[in-house]
Amino acid sequence: MDAFVLPHSLVGEGPHPVIAVHGWLADRAAYNAVLPDLDLVNFRYAFVDLRGYGEAKEVPGTYTTAEGAADLLALADRHGWDRFSLVGHSMGASVAQRVLAAAPQRVRRLVGVSPVPASGMPLPADAWELFAGAAEHPENRRAIIDDTTGGVRPRAWLDRMVQQSVDRSDPKALRAWLDSWAGEDFHAEVEGCERAALAVVGALDPALSADVMRQTWMRWYPRAELVELPGAGHYAMDETPLHLLRTVEDFLRADGSK
C-alpha cells in the first residue's frame, strides 16, 4: 500500500525544493498572502495541509509532530526530493524540527516563523485553559490571535482569521495537536545540528518572542540566525508578507548547493 501523502499545492519550477508547513489555527491557506510574490525560478514550493486541516480535515491520525514529520518525508519521497528546505509557522516549525531530528541529512535549510521550540511550550494554567478550549470555542481562537498580534489588528481581520480557522480545521484534531506541540520536549534530538536555521519572530508577539528564541533556538543550532520583524506579530505571513518573504528567501538562497 502506498504511504499517505498530505494534500498539497506545488508552486514554482526551481531547483531548490521547499516544504511550507502551517501552524495550529490554520491550514495551508495561511500562506496565501505570500503566493503572488514567491521566487518561482529558484524554488519549488510545496504548501501542505497537515492531518486534521484543509483538504486533510477528515484524515485520521495521532495528530502529533512526529507523525507530521513522517508525512512530510513521505511527501518528499513522492516527489523524489532527496534534499529540501523547510519553512514552518508556529506548530509547523515544531513539525519541521521533527523532520530535522529524523532525517538531518535530507534538510538543506530550516526556517521557523514564530517557531514553537523543540522543547515544547509549557503554558500556565489559565493559558492552557484558553488554548485547550479553542477547539470548541471560536472566541478562544479570537483571543489567542488578538493577543499574539499585539491587540492592534482590525476586527474584520480577526473575524476572517477565526472563520478560516473554524472552517478549515477539525476540532478533535486541533485539541490533539495541542498536546503534542505544547507538551513534547525533543530538543536533545536536534541540539547541535549543523544545519543553517533561521528563526523569524514578530515584535508584537509576546508568546514566541526574540527572547524565547535566544533561550532555545539560538542555543541549540550552532548556525542559527534570528530576525525580528518590527511590524509583525505571530502571523507574519498575513501581517508583513513582503518583509517576511524577502527575509526567508534571502536566507534560503544563501545555500548554493543543488
Side-chain angles (χ1 to χ4, degrees):
M1 178 182 294
D2 291 340
F4 169 71
V5 176
L6 295 171
H8 60 283
S9 52
L10 294 174
V11 184
E13 298 295 336
H16 186 158
V18 181
I19 301 175
V21 193
H22 61 80
W24 183 51
L25 292 179
D27 67 343
R28 71 181 190 254
Y31 289 97
N32 280 353
V34 304
L35 294 182
D37 301 300
L38 294 170
D39 178 350
L40 307 182
V41 174
N42 288 293
F43 304 111
R44 182 163 176 77
Y45 287 94
F47 295 91
V48 307
D49 284 332
L50 295 170
R51 296 178 192 237
Y53 296 90
E55 292 180 31
K57 184 176 178 180
E58 306 299 329
V59 175
T62 59
Y63 310 116
T64 62
T65 58
E67 179 184 66
D71 286 341
L72 294 185
L73 287 167
L75 182 149
D77 290 343
R78 173 66 62 90
H79 291 294
W81 296 342
D82 292 331
R83 298 187 70 235
F84 50 88
S85 291
L86 291 158
V87 176
H89 173 240
S90 193
M91 176 186 81
S94 183
V95 176
Q97 290 173 89
R98 282 283 196 185
V99 174
L100 186 65
Q105 74 284 358
R106 300 190 64 177
V107 178
R108 290 173 63 161
R109 294 202 150 207
L110 174 67
V111 178
V113 181
S114 297
V116 172
S119 55
M121 189 177 169
L123 297 169
D126 56 342
W128 181 262
E129 183 177 356
L130 177 69
F131 276 65
E136 298 294 341
H137 301 290
E139 62 271 23
N140 289 35
R141 303 189 197 204
R142 185 188 180 91
I144 292 166
I145 296 169
D146 191 23
D147 180 64
T148 58
T149 53
V152 299
R153 299 305 176 209
R155 291 182 179 180
W157 182 81
L158 293 171
D159 291 342
R160 174 173 64 84
M161 295 290 282
V162 171
Q163 194 59 54
Q164 287 178 348
S165 178
V166 171
D167 291 344
R168 298 172 184 175
S169 63
D170 174 70
K172 291 180 180 178
L174 194 83
R175 179 61 186 83
W177 275 107
L178 174 64
D179 287 338
S180 182
W181 66 257
E184 295 174 359
D185 182 351
F186 62 94
H187 83 275
E189 299 177 43
V190 296
E191 189 171 6
C193 181
E194 291 288 343
R195 294 294 176 270
L198 170 67
V200 184
V201 298
L204 302 179
D205 183 357
L208 290 165
S209 64
D211 285 341
V212 171
M213 294 306 113
R214 293 186 188 102
Q215 297 299 314
T216 56
W217 190 282
M218 300 302 291
R219 289 186 175 183
W220 301 333
Y221 299 117
R223 298 176 60 198
E225 299 179 29
L226 174 61
V227 173
E228 184 179 63
L229 304 182
H234 190 70
Y235 296 89
M237 301 91 68
D238 229 279
E239 298 170 272
T240 58
L242 295 180
H243 196 172
L244 175 68
L245 191 56
R246 177 62 185 266
T247 301
V248 170
E249 290 194 331
D250 281 355
F251 173 77
L252 294 176
R253 286 191 200 95
D255 179 9
S257 62
K258 303 297 183 188

mmCIF file of all heavy atoms in Angstrom, residues 185-217:
data_model
loop_
_atom_site.group_PDB
_atom_site.id
_atom_site.type_symbol
_atom_site.label_atom_id
_atom_site.label_comp_id
_atom_site.label_asym_id
_atom_site.label_seq_id
_atom_site.Cartn_x
_atom_site.Cartn_y
_atom_site.Cartn_z
ATOM 1 N N ASP A 185 8.938 17.484 24.514
ATOM 2 C CA ASP A 185 10.281 18.056 24.501
ATOM 3 C C ASP A 185 11.221 17.076 23.798
ATOM 4 O O ASP A 185 11.533 16.015 24.331
ATOM 5 C CB ASP A 185 10.749 18.307 25.926
ATOM 6 C CG ASP A 185 12.131 18.941 25.997
ATOM 7 O OD1 ASP A 185 12.812 19.039 24.951
ATOM 8 O OD2 ASP A 185 12.538 19.335 27.109
ATOM 9 N N PHE A 186 11.672 17.450 22.584
ATOM 10 C CA PHE A 186 12.607 16.596 21.852
ATOM 11 C C PHE A 186 13.870 17.372 21.476
ATOM 12 O O PHE A 186 14.593 16.992 20.563
ATOM 13 C CB PHE A 186 11.935 16.009 20.602
ATOM 14 C CG PHE A 186 11.464 17.020 19.583
ATOM 15 C CD1 PHE A 186 12.274 17.381 18.516
ATOM 16 C CD2 PHE A 186 10.218 17.605 19.695
ATOM 17 C CE1 PHE A 186 11.846 18.319 17.583
ATOM 18 C CE2 PHE A 186 9.774 18.545 18.762
ATOM 19 C CZ PHE A 186 10.601 18.892 17.705
ATOM 20 N N HIS A 187 14.151 18.450 22.206
ATOM 21 C CA HIS A 187 15.245 19.319 21.784
ATOM 22 C C HIS A 187 16.602 18.618 21.823
ATOM 23 O O HIS A 187 17.509 18.984 21.077
ATOM 24 C CB HIS A 187 15.258 20.610 22.611
ATOM 25 C CG HIS A 187 15.938 20.501 23.934
ATOM 26 N ND1 HIS A 187 15.312 20.057 25.075
ATOM 27 C CD2 HIS A 187 17.218 20.788 24.295
ATOM 28 C CE1 HIS A 187 16.155 20.081 26.084
ATOM 29 N NE2 HIS A 187 17.314 20.521 25.651
ATOM 30 N N ALA A 188 16.738 17.590 22.680
ATOM 31 C CA ALA A 188 18.005 16.861 22.723
ATOM 32 C C ALA A 188 18.292 16.152 21.397
ATOM 33 O O ALA A 188 19.459 15.871 21.086
ATOM 34 C CB ALA A 188 17.974 15.846 23.861
ATOM 35 N N GLU A 189 17.251 15.895 20.602
ATOM 36 C CA GLU A 189 17.425 15.202 19.324
ATOM 37 C C GLU A 189 17.912 16.138 18.216
ATOM 38 O O GLU A 189 18.387 15.667 17.170
ATOM 39 C CB GLU A 189 16.109 14.543 18.900
ATOM 40 C CG GLU A 189 15.597 13.496 19.878
ATOM 41 C CD GLU A 189 14.259 12.940 19.452
ATOM 42 O OE1 GLU A 189 14.085 12.657 18.242
ATOM 43 O OE2 GLU A 189 13.371 12.797 20.318
ATOM 44 N N VAL A 190 17.787 17.438 18.413
ATOM 45 C CA VAL A 190 18.238 18.392 17.388
ATOM 46 C C VAL A 190 19.375 19.276 17.876
ATOM 47 O O VAL A 190 20.037 19.935 17.065
ATOM 48 C CB VAL A 190 17.077 19.288 16.903
ATOM 49 C CG1 VAL A 190 16.006 18.455 16.217
ATOM 50 C CG2 VAL A 190 16.469 20.088 18.060
ATOM 51 N N GLU A 191 19.627 19.304 19.171
ATOM 52 C CA GLU A 191 20.656 20.183 19.717
ATOM 53 C C GLU A 191 22.020 19.875 19.098
ATOM 54 O O GLU A 191 22.439 18.718 19.035
ATOM 55 C CB GLU A 191 20.727 20.022 21.238
ATOM 56 C CG GLU A 191 21.605 21.031 21.917
ATOM 57 C CD GLU A 191 21.478 20.985 23.429
ATOM 58 O OE1 GLU A 191 20.782 20.077 23.943
ATOM 59 O OE2 GLU A 191 22.062 21.863 24.088
ATOM 60 N N GLY A 192 22.675 20.906 18.604
ATOM 61 C CA GLY A 192 23.986 20.740 17.987
ATOM 62 C C GLY A 192 23.948 20.464 16.505
ATOM 63 O O GLY A 192 25.012 20.367 15.870
ATOM 64 N N CYS A 193 22.751 20.344 15.918
ATOM 65 C CA CYS A 193 22.645 20.081 14.487
ATOM 66 C C CYS A 193 23.246 21.246 13.714
ATOM 67 O O CYS A 193 22.966 22.415 13.992
ATOM 68 C CB CYS A 193 21.190 19.878 14.085
ATOM 69 S SG CYS A 193 20.983 19.509 12.336
ATOM 70 N N GLU A 194 24.051 20.922 12.713
ATOM 71 C CA GLU A 194 24.802 21.940 11.979
ATOM 72 C C GLU A 194 24.036 22.556 10.815
ATOM 73 O O GLU A 194 24.599 23.369 10.075
ATOM 74 C CB GLU A 194 26.112 21.335 11.463
ATOM 75 C CG GLU A 194 27.114 20.999 12.559
ATOM 76 C CD GLU A 194 27.743 22.246 13.178
ATOM 77 O OE1 GLU A 194 27.652 23.317 12.567
ATOM 78 O OE2 GLU A 194 28.311 22.130 14.280
ATOM 79 N N ARG A 195 22.792 22.195 10.594
ATOM 80 C CA ARG A 195 22.028 22.808 9.514
ATOM 81 C C ARG A 195 21.763 24.287 9.830
ATOM 82 O O ARG A 195 21.472 24.647 10.971
ATOM 83 C CB ARG A 195 20.701 22.084 9.305
ATOM 84 C CG ARG A 195 20.838 20.665 8.805
ATOM 85 C CD ARG A 195 21.413 20.605 7.398
ATOM 86 N NE ARG A 195 21.629 19.228 6.985
ATOM 87 C CZ ARG A 195 22.748 18.539 7.182
ATOM 88 N NH1 ARG A 195 23.762 19.116 7.810
ATOM 89 N NH2 ARG A 195 22.863 17.298 6.773
ATOM 90 N N ALA A 196 21.851 25.109 8.806
ATOM 91 C CA ALA A 196 21.527 26.522 8.987
ATOM 92 C C ALA A 196 20.057 26.653 9.353
ATOM 93 O O ALA A 196 19.183 26.055 8.705
ATOM 94 C CB ALA A 196 21.835 27.301 7.714
ATOM 95 N N ALA A 197 19.775 27.438 10.401
ATOM 96 C CA ALA A 197 18.415 27.507 10.939
ATOM 97 C C ALA A 197 18.060 28.952 11.259
ATOM 98 O O ALA A 197 18.686 29.582 12.117
ATOM 99 C CB ALA A 197 18.295 26.640 12.195
ATOM 100 N N LEU A 198 17.054 29.473 10.572
ATOM 101 C CA LEU A 198 16.604 30.850 10.754
ATOM 102 C C LEU A 198 15.311 30.878 11.555
ATOM 103 O O LEU A 198 14.346 30.196 11.211
ATOM 104 C CB LEU A 198 16.375 31.509 9.392
ATOM 105 C CG LEU A 198 15.686 32.875 9.393
ATOM 106 C CD1 LEU A 198 16.568 33.940 10.043
ATOM 107 C CD2 LEU A 198 15.303 33.281 7.970
ATOM 108 N N ALA A 199 15.293 31.694 12.601
ATOM 109 C CA ALA A 199 14.061 31.977 13.331
ATOM 110 C C ALA A 199 13.633 33.404 13.015
ATOM 111 O O ALA A 199 14.417 34.341 13.177
ATOM 112 C CB ALA A 199 14.262 31.803 14.826
ATOM 113 N N VAL A 200 12.385 33.559 12.549
ATOM 114 C CA VAL A 200 11.817 34.875 12.275
ATOM 115 C C VAL A 200 10.674 35.094 13.258
ATOM 116 O O VAL A 200 9.748 34.279 13.323
ATOM 117 C CB VAL A 200 11.281 34.980 10.834
ATOM 118 C CG1 VAL A 200 10.797 36.402 10.559
ATOM 119 C CG2 VAL A 200 12.346 34.577 9.827
ATOM 120 N N VAL A 201 10.747 36.159 14.023
ATOM 121 C CA VAL A 201 9.706 36.434 15.011
ATOM 122 C C VAL A 201 9.139 37.827 14.775
ATOM 123 O O VAL A 201 9.774 38.684 14.154
ATOM 124 C CB VAL A 201 10.240 36.323 16.457
ATOM 125 C CG1 VAL A 201 10.732 34.915 16.737
ATOM 126 C CG2 VAL A 201 11.346 37.342 16.715
ATOM 127 N N GLY A 202 7.933 38.045 15.284
ATOM 128 C CA GLY A 202 7.303 39.348 15.207
ATOM 129 C C GLY A 202 7.451 40.088 16.515
ATOM 130 O O GLY A 202 7.249 39.515 17.596
ATOM 131 N N ALA A 203 7.781 41.359 16.439
ATOM 132 C CA ALA A 203 7.977 42.155 17.651
ATOM 133 C C ALA A 203 6.695 42.290 18.470
ATOM 134 O O ALA A 203 6.755 42.556 19.672
ATOM 135 C CB ALA A 203 8.507 43.537 17.281
ATOM 136 N N LEU A 204 5.529 42.095 17.833
ATOM 137 C CA LEU A 204 4.250 42.241 18.530
ATOM 138 C C LEU A 204 3.760 40.938 19.162
ATOM 139 O O LEU A 204 2.695 40.917 19.777
ATOM 140 C CB LEU A 204 3.188 42.757 17.552
ATOM 141 C CG LEU A 204 3.484 44.090 16.863
ATOM 142 C CD1 LEU A 204 2.341 44.456 15.916
ATOM 143 C CD2 LEU A 204 3.720 45.191 17.872
ATOM 144 N N ASP A 205 4.521 39.864 19.017
ATOM 145 C CA ASP A 205 4.128 38.556 19.550
ATOM 146 C C ASP A 205 4.756 38.363 20.926
ATOM 147 O O ASP A 205 5.968 38.187 21.029
ATOM 148 C CB ASP A 205 4.588 37.449 18.600
ATOM 149 C CG ASP A 205 4.144 36.063 19.038
ATOM 150 O OD1 ASP A 205 3.520 35.937 20.111
ATOM 151 O OD2 ASP A 205 4.422 35.094 18.314
ATOM 152 N N PRO A 206 3.954 38.375 21.994
ATOM 153 C CA PRO A 206 4.529 38.228 23.332
ATOM 154 C C PRO A 206 4.856 36.786 23.701
ATOM 155 O O PRO A 206 5.576 36.549 24.678
ATOM 156 C CB PRO A 206 3.415 38.765 24.244
ATOM 157 C CG PRO A 206 2.151 38.437 23.501
ATOM 158 C CD PRO A 206 2.491 38.598 22.033
ATOM 159 N N ALA A 207 4.351 35.835 22.940
ATOM 160 C CA ALA A 207 4.496 34.431 23.306
ATOM 161 C C ALA A 207 5.786 33.816 22.777
ATOM 162 O O ALA A 207 6.572 33.228 23.526
ATOM 163 C CB ALA A 207 3.283 33.643 22.812
ATOM 164 N N LEU A 208 6.015 33.952 21.470
ATOM 165 C CA LEU A 208 7.211 33.373 20.847
ATOM 166 C C LEU A 208 8.091 34.533 20.374
ATOM 167 O O LEU A 208 8.197 34.837 19.197
ATOM 168 C CB LEU A 208 6.802 32.435 19.712
ATOM 169 C CG LEU A 208 6.131 31.159 20.215
ATOM 170 C CD1 LEU A 208 5.404 30.429 19.100
ATOM 171 C CD2 LEU A 208 7.158 30.235 20.870
ATOM 172 N N SER A 209 8.716 35.153 21.316
ATOM 173 C CA SER A 209 9.454 36.387 21.121
ATOM 174 C C SER A 209 10.922 36.114 20.794
ATOM 175 O O SER A 209 11.404 34.981 20.848
ATOM 176 C CB SER A 209 9.380 37.225 22.392
ATOM 177 O OG SER A 209 10.025 36.526 23.460
ATOM 178 N N ALA A 210 11.638 37.188 20.498
ATOM 179 C CA ALA A 210 13.079 37.069 20.267
ATOM 180 C C ALA A 210 13.784 36.541 21.516
ATOM 181 O O ALA A 210 14.728 35.747 21.412
ATOM 182 C CB ALA A 210 13.654 38.425 19.857
ATOM 183 N N ASP A 211 13.340 36.943 22.697
ATOM 184 C CA ASP A 211 13.957 36.447 23.929
ATOM 185 C C ASP A 211 13.772 34.943 24.074
ATOM 186 O O ASP A 211 14.697 34.225 24.494
ATOM 187 C CB ASP A 211 13.369 37.162 25.144
ATOM 188 C CG ASP A 211 13.893 38.573 25.298
ATOM 189 O OD1 ASP A 211 14.946 38.879 24.701
ATOM 190 O OD2 ASP A 211 13.257 39.358 26.023
ATOM 191 N N VAL A 212 12.583 34.452 23.736
ATOM 192 C CA VAL A 212 12.358 32.999 23.784
ATOM 193 C C VAL A 212 13.286 32.284 22.816
ATOM 194 O O VAL A 212 13.856 31.235 23.134
ATOM 195 C CB VAL A 212 10.882 32.674 23.474
ATOM 196 C CG1 VAL A 212 10.679 31.169 23.290
ATOM 197 C CG2 VAL A 212 9.977 33.201 24.577
ATOM 198 N N MET A 213 13.478 32.849 21.625
ATOM 199 C CA MET A 213 14.372 32.224 20.642
ATOM 200 C C MET A 213 15.821 32.212 21.125
ATOM 201 O O MET A 213 16.561 31.254 20.881
ATOM 202 C CB MET A 213 14.277 32.949 19.302
ATOM 203 C CG MET A 213 12.929 32.838 18.610
ATOM 204 S SD MET A 213 12.385 31.131 18.381
ATOM 205 C CE MET A 213 10.960 31.103 19.499
ATOM 206 N N ARG A 214 16.227 33.271 21.831
ATOM 207 C CA ARG A 214 17.605 33.306 22.337
ATOM 208 C C ARG A 214 17.843 32.232 23.393
ATOM 209 O O ARG A 214 18.962 31.724 23.533
ATOM 210 C CB ARG A 214 17.906 34.696 22.918
ATOM 211 C CG ARG A 214 17.929 35.798 21.867
ATOM 212 C CD ARG A 214 18.367 37.132 22.463
ATOM 213 N NE ARG A 214 18.200 38.202 21.488
ATOM 214 C CZ ARG A 214 17.211 39.072 21.484
ATOM 215 N NH1 ARG A 214 16.274 39.013 22.442
ATOM 216 N NH2 ARG A 214 17.127 40.010 20.559
ATOM 217 N N GLN A 215 16.798 31.864 24.100
ATOM 218 C CA GLN A 215 16.922 30.831 25.126
ATOM 219 C C GLN A 215 16.792 29.414 24.569
ATOM 220 O O GLN A 215 17.133 28.445 25.261
ATOM 221 C CB GLN A 215 15.845 31.045 26.204
ATOM 222 C CG GLN A 215 15.972 32.343 26.969
ATOM 223 C CD GLN A 215 17.282 32.460 27.713
ATOM 224 O OE1 GLN A 215 17.729 31.518 28.381
ATOM 225 N NE2 GLN A 215 17.931 33.605 27.597
ATOM 226 N N THR A 216 16.319 29.278 23.347
ATOM 227 C CA THR A 216 16.050 27.954 22.784
ATOM 228 C C THR A 216 16.756 27.781 21.439
ATOM 229 O O THR A 216 17.851 27.235 21.365
ATOM 230 C CB THR A 216 14.525 27.760 22.626
ATOM 231 O OG1 THR A 216 13.967 28.818 21.824
ATOM 232 C CG2 THR A 216 13.832 27.757 23.976
ATOM 233 N N TRP A 217 16.143 28.262 20.398
ATOM 234 C CA TRP A 217 16.631 28.096 19.024
ATOM 235 C C TRP A 217 18.096 28.487 18.878
ATOM 236 O O TRP A 217 18.905 27.737 18.321
ATOM 237 C CB TRP A 217 15.757 28.948 18.111
ATOM 238 C CG TRP A 217 15.896 28.771 16.632
ATOM 239 C CD1 TRP A 217 16.886 29.273 15.830
ATOM 240 C CD2 TRP A 217 14.995 28.067 15.771
ATOM 241 N NE1 TRP A 217 16.662 28.932 14.521
ATOM 242 C CE2 TRP A 217 15.506 28.192 14.457
ATOM 243 C CE3 TRP A 217 13.813 27.356 15.973
ATOM 244 C CZ2 TRP A 217 14.858 27.628 13.354
ATOM 245 C CZ3 TRP A 217 13.176 26.806 14.877
ATOM 246 C CH2 TRP A 217 13.701 26.932 13.583
#
